[in-house]
Amino acid sequence: MSKRSKDMKNAPEAKGVTTVANHPKPIGLFLCERILRDVLRLDAISCINIHNQMAVQAFPAIVPLVFAYSEVTGSTDEFTYQFKFLDKQGQTLAVSNVQKVAPLPSKSMTHKLIGAFQGLIFQEDGGYQLVLSLDGEDVGSMTFQVVHVPAEVTV
C-alpha cells in the first residue's frame, strides 16, 4: 500500500475530499483515432478506430494525433487525472495535461476521461504502455504494440 493510500485510509472523510474508499476505479482504457462527444448529452461518447497496435514500415514512427479514453466509476468528490505513455524500459514518452474532474451527483454514474497525444514518436517496435493516473497515482494501463512490417515490393 502506498504512503498516499495509508494516509488517505486514516484521514477523516470530508465532503469534496477523495479517499481510497470513494476513489474512482477504471472500468476501461482505450486508444482511438478520434473521440466525438455529444454537445447536448455530455455522457454520450463515440470512440472511432479503437486500436491496441500499430503496424509501421520504418522507425522512428510518428503518430500525428491519438486519443486516450477511459471510463471510471462514479465519484461524488473532485479528482484529477492524467494519461501517460511509457516505453519498453518504463521511461515516460509523453504525458497528457492534468485535468480536474467535477463530482457527479451519484456514484451510479460514470466519469468519461479523455486525453490527447500529438506527435507521438515510437523509436522501435515492441510493447508500450498507456497508463491512467488518478490524483497522481497510477491505477490502470494497457499495452500498445508497435509492429514493424516491411513495405511490399511490387515488380
Side-chain angles (χ1 to χ4, degrees):
M1 183 180 299
S2 71
K3 179 178 177 353
R4 179 183 176 278
S5 296
K6 287 178 188 174
D7 291 345
M8 293 196 65
K9 187 174 183 181
N10 297 325
E13 294 235 4
K15 182 137 180 75
V17 176
T18 304
T19 64
V20 171
N22 64 3
H23 203 271
K25 293 170 184 49
I27 298 169
L29 181 59
F30 304 97
L31 276 174
C32 57
E33 189 175 304
R34 184 165 312 223
I35 294 180
L36 305 176
R37 185 173 218 160
D38 193 298
V39 293
L40 299 176
R41 291 182 34 229
L42 296 179
D43 63 329
I45 302 286
S46 296
C47 296
I48 312 299
N49 292 337
I50 295 172
H51 47 267
N52 63 356
Q53 66 179 342
M54 178 175 82
V56 301
Q57 295 179 354
F59 290 98
I62 301 171
V63 180
L65 180 63
V66 66
F67 289 92
Y69 172 79
S70 182
E71 192 160 339
V72 298
T73 58
S75 174
T76 54
D77 298 321
E78 188 176 90
F79 65 94
T80 62
Y81 74 92
Q82 181 178 46
F83 294 99
K84 57 187 169 185
F85 254 105
L86 306 178
D87 66 14
K88 296 187 290 189
Q89 291 77 36
Q91 300 298 314
T92 302
L93 288 177
V95 295
S96 67
N97 293 328
V98 174
Q99 300 291 322
K100 190 181 280 191
V101 180
L104 291 172
S106 168
K107 283 188 172 190
S108 64
M109 301 172 78
T110 58
H111 295 279
K112 280 75 171 173
L113 312 179
I114 300 171
F117 296 95
Q118 289 184 309
L120 197 55
I121 300 172
F122 297 104
Q123 297 292 340
E124 59 187 353
D125 64 349
Y128 293 80
Q129 291 294 311
L130 172 66
V131 178
L132 170 64
S133 298
L134 300 178
D135 287 334
E137 189 172 325
D138 296 349
V139 295
S141 67
M142 69 164 278
T143 301
F144 181 74
Q145 291 290 331
V146 178
V147 181
H148 180 251
V149 178
E152 290 185 25
V153 178
T154 56
V155 246

